[in-house]
Amino acid sequence: MWEPDRVPNPDLTVGADNKQRWNQPAHRRHGFHNAHRLFRRALTVRARRPVVLTPAEDAGIAAMPEVATLTGRPAFSGLVCARQGEVLLSRHAADFPEDQPHSIQSVTKLMMHLVAGRMVAEGWLDPARPVEHYLPEIGSGYRGATVQDVLDMNVMNDFSEDYDDPEAECYTEEIALGWRLPEGDAPEVSMLDVVTGVTGDDVRNHADTVNYCSANTDLLTLICDRCRPGALPKLVEEIADDAGVAGALHMSLSPEGLPAFAGGGCLSAADLARVGLLLARVAAGAPGMAWNAGFTQAVIGGAGKPLPVPRDFVRYAHQMMSNGRWIGHAGYGGQFLLVDPESGLSCAYLSVLENESGYDEDYMAETILCLQAIAEAVGKS
């Protein structure tokens, strides 16, 4: 009987610095531009009725030095700024076509913001309850924390998201997100395995700043799935429909089939801007949608602690970032979605840092300030 030869999956197998090939610096740009087809498994959703965006370039925005900064970087992939059905600015790198999906990493957490807010509004989820009320098997790293603490990245435990440390727990988490394979023939850890395995002593965050941890989003995913078993893929579909994505929303899946809200989303720059336009409508309390406007407005109103320096002008709550005017989220590798609900502006920025860690705090702070300047200019006009 013939037995086929097999080799380890070249994209998902771990190599140098405990990174799979698509996230190695030399391959990262290709990986982020093609993550939707490199993930171990993924959910793909297309909208029933895409939102029409009409080109209407704003010469004033195009001439801003902040735009030149954002688009002139070697890491740049795409920048789309849209408002009320019009594209005020659209720029793409030579190797990144307008309809190309891109890994948005932790910007995906904004979808968890929508999902959690929806479940709170419908009475499925109570942020004041302790985590173990919903997940009795939770370990010491979360036992005693409230759902609100988890939503606000206000928990302390032993989970490390230090991208400079090749042995940080966030890299093991990637197995559960469908981004890499374990060594050899070892079984793939599930999202539940990762979250229940987090250890800790005092879960209270005594610091004045948040303790950013993507495992928090995985925990929220598990809790929401316990609240409404099997509902999460359908809610991803509703997000794609309400945003009106013109291409497709791709979402990596855990071994147990749960959407990787911690960072598994892939969208084109224009479709990410469409998600931002949806968030602007939610924040404005637009009628006809089931998402929780008050949940979003609380973030704008000042809920949550600030991020550490150099992004200490940004607060974090409900799986969302805000400076008190705009809302949004950052993503590993150089992504940011900034939405100004007052003007209705949505700015989607995609890029790929090719340093060893794939991350740079100063780069991200500069990105936010540049996008913030664009939003301020549109707000004044």
Side-chain angles (χ1 to χ4, degrees), residues 160-217:
S160 171
E161 195 148 347
D162 181 359
Y163 301 118
D164 288 312
D165 177 7
E167 300 305 319
E169 285 81 3
C170 61
Y171 292 117
T172 300
E173 178 201 17
E174 291 185 356
I175 299 171
L177 301 182
W179 299 1
R180 61 159 71 194
L181 294 172
E183 292 187 19
D185 295 325
E188 294 174 73
V189 295
S190 68
M191 193 177 290
L192 183 63
D193 293 331
V194 170
V195 170
T196 56
V198 175
T199 59
D201 296 320
D202 182 0
V203 298
R204 293 173 298 171
N205 179 15
H206 299 282
D208 295 329
T209 57
V210 298
N211 180 42
Y212 187 86
C213 173
S214 288
N216 293 346
T217 311

Side-chain angles (χ1 to χ4, degrees), residues 92-123:
H92 293 76
D95 66 344
F96 186 65
E98 292 186 10
D99 60 351
Q100 178 76 26
H102 196 291
S103 174
I104 64 172
Q105 292 290 310
S106 287
V107 180
T108 316
K109 290 180 172 70
L110 291 171
M111 299 182 199
M112 173 49 68
H113 168 85
L114 290 172
V115 168
R118 171 85 160 264
M119 291 201 176
V120 169
E122 294 178 351

